[in-house]
Amino acid sequence: MTTMPNIRYYACMEDCTGTGKTLKYVITAQAGYYPPMDAIVGKDGKISMYLQTNEGSGGSKKSNAPAMKLQAKNSLNFTGLKDYFVDGRLSGFAYGYPLATETYSSKQKPNPFFNYKDDGFLFIIHQDQTAATEPEKIKPSRIELIVLEGAKVLIPAYCKMLQMGGFDEAITLLREQAKRTDGL
């Protein structure tokens, strides 16, 4: 039996892509406090992330990299989304973890998540099943993020636990506690 890890932080990100090509999500509600998130607040005072395919140079996917990733401010690779696709289909869930190096990019920017490199991320991916076209149905309408303290090593097992309902009670409480950040 896997014990319940400490949940550090919860965020709900909603699609704000508009007419842009790259899928963009903004945090609209959050519960708890996760210090490195302060470093990725944009000029508009909001935390936004881009959902991107994970391609290496020349458009080829890195063999061990997840198919999708979330990228934050200053091109920080927030995390790869492992198990986003299972057997070629959207799973509705994913997991990841912070970048484990002190710096990132060729400019050696300081990694705000380095001191939290042992944490794990769980994601619940919501899709609009009422959308008119298949691409609109595939595009996530909302992404929920749950940060688990020190859970990097066990995060795949926690993702399975999430899928089987093991976090349902905690997630319900987090959703109730989450404070809107978009003024609504």
Side-chain angles (χ1 to χ4, degrees):
M1 176 72 187
T2 308
T3 57
M4 185 62 83
N6 183 40
I7 298 173
R8 278 189 193 255
Y9 177 75
Y10 165 88
C12 180
M13 298 182 273
E14 296 189 24
D15 179 17
C16 66
T17 305
T19 57
K21 276 189 151 182
T22 304
L23 298 178
K24 183 178 179 181
Y25 295 83
V26 64
I27 291 179
T28 56
Q30 52 190 345
Y33 177 61
Y34 196 46
M37 298 300 276
D38 292 344
I40 58 173
V41 174
K43 291 182 180 91
D44 60 359
K46 298 177 181 175
I47 298 173
S48 299
M49 295 194 202
Y50 295 92
L51 180 62
Q52 301 175 320
T53 56
N54 209 350
E55 295 178 345
S57 56
S60 63
K61 184 181 164 307
K62 296 175 185 171
S63 62
N64 62 343
M68 303 296 288
K69 68 179 178 182
L70 281 171
Q71 191 174 70
K73 179 181 163 189
N74 297 327
S75 299
L76 172 67
N77 182 8
F78 183 73
T79 190
L81 296 171
K82 298 174 188 299
D83 285 357
Y84 186 86
F85 293 106
V86 174
D87 299 326
R89 300 183 64 191
L90 288 162
S91 69
F93 301 92
Y95 68 91
Y97 33 80
L99 188 63
T101 57
E102 284 191 65
T103 60
Y104 71 99
S105 92
S106 58
K107 296 184 178 123
Q108 297 297 299
K109 297 175 188 172
N111 173 11
F113 291 87
F114 180 70
N115 291 333
Y116 299 86
K117 65 183 180 288
D118 294 327
D119 289 346
F121 302 147
L122 292 176
F123 297 92
I124 303 171
I125 317 294
H126 299 270
Q127 295 150 280
D128 182 0
Q129 296 303 326
T130 63
T133 66
E134 207 53 40
E136 288 173 335
K137 284 181 186 173
I138 292 172
K139 178 178 90 167
S141 56
R142 198 174 79 217
I143 300 172
E144 291 178 280
L145 161 67
I146 302 148
V147 178
L148 304 180
E149 183 178 1
K152 180 179 180 177
V153 174
L154 292 174
I155 203 67
Y158 287 131
C159 190
K160 293 278 186 253
M161 191 172 150
L162 173 68
Q163 291 172 353
M164 295 185 328
F167 286 92
D168 287 0
E169 197 174 306
I171 291 167
T172 299
L173 287 171
L174 289 166
R175 287 173 179 153
E176 289 170 3
Q177 293 170 4
K179 304 228 180 336
R180 298 290 300 189
T181 58
D182 57 1
L184 296 177

